[in-house]
Amino acid sequence: GTVLTSTGTTPPLAFEAVAGSVAGTCHFRAYSDAVGWDTMSANEKCEFNQVKLDGDGVYDTTNEWFEAPADGVYLFGAHLYTLSSATESGFAFYVGEVEPDGVASGSGYESMAYHYSSDSDDNLLVFSYVLTLSNADTVSVHANIAGDFYPPHSQWWGVRLK
């Protein structure tokens, strides 16, 4: 979680921490201890009730959301294993339980991650998004289109950029 800068140009380089840097803080990885498929309604929050790598205590496993400890820019990513027989599914990061601007419930093309298929293969949706948050804003993963996902093979993560 420390940003380093070089203080020299010839080996060996000496490094020092940049004072006041917040990049790389607030990192976490959330997953679920659920078993089996989860059928999601539109706007329903995905279950991620376990956490790894949460040194700053920013992930709430009871409410299944990240809470920003300060104003800043944050990067979030997710890997969601989806069921192809659901025909389509869409997922997004919600801020304060609401879809961010540009994401519309029930609209696949305005999801952060969208799947449409008529084949019989399951899929892994991988997506990331940068959000500017205020202190105490919460972020969670929701299905913005009804569909199925498999929590045991899914996770999401986040980190503060500035």
Side-chain angles (χ1 to χ4, degrees):
T2 302
V3 175
L4 301 175
T5 60
S6 172
T7 58
T9 58
T10 57
L13 297 177
F15 289 91
E16 61 186 20
V18 175
S21 176
V22 295
T25 62
C26 306
H27 60 281
F28 73 94
R29 181 174 61 90
Y31 65 99
S32 177
D33 63 1
V35 295
W37 288 96
D38 197 354
T39 300
M40 307 293 295
S41 301
N43 298 312
E44 184 178 351
K45 187 188 311 181
C46 297
E47 177 183 348
F48 291 105
N49 61 357
Q50 301 293 313
V51 68
K52 295 261 185 193
L53 307 173
D54 188 14
D56 296 316
V58 293
Y59 193 80
D60 183 330
T61 56
T62 301
N63 292 306
E64 301 170 336
W65 65 36
F66 164 87
E67 184 172 339
D71 295 357
V73 178
Y74 297 81
L75 172 65
F76 298 96
H79 306 119
L80 304 178
Y81 192 87
T82 64
L83 183 65
S84 68
S85 63
T87 306
E88 71 175 343
S89 55
F91 297 88
F93 297 114
Y94 281 31
V95 178
E97 305 290 322
V98 177
E99 297 161 316
D101 291 340
V103 177
S105 180
S107 175
Y109 297 107
E110 294 175 351
S111 296
M112 291 178 184
Y114 175 70
H115 158 75
Y116 177 84
S117 179
S118 59
D119 64 21
S120 60
D121 294 328
D122 295 339
N123 295 279
L124 181 63
L125 297 180
V126 179
F127 60 104
S128 60
Y129 205 72
V130 174
L131 292 168
T132 300
L133 301 175
S134 297
N135 180 48
D137 279 350
T138 60
V139 178
S140 50
V141 180
H142 290 246
N144 70 324
I145 296 175
D148 296 329
F149 92 108
Y150 192 66
H153 291 179
S154 301
Q155 64 179 342
W156 77 290
W157 53 267
V159 64
R160 186 171 180 188
L161 299 178
K162 72 174 204 170

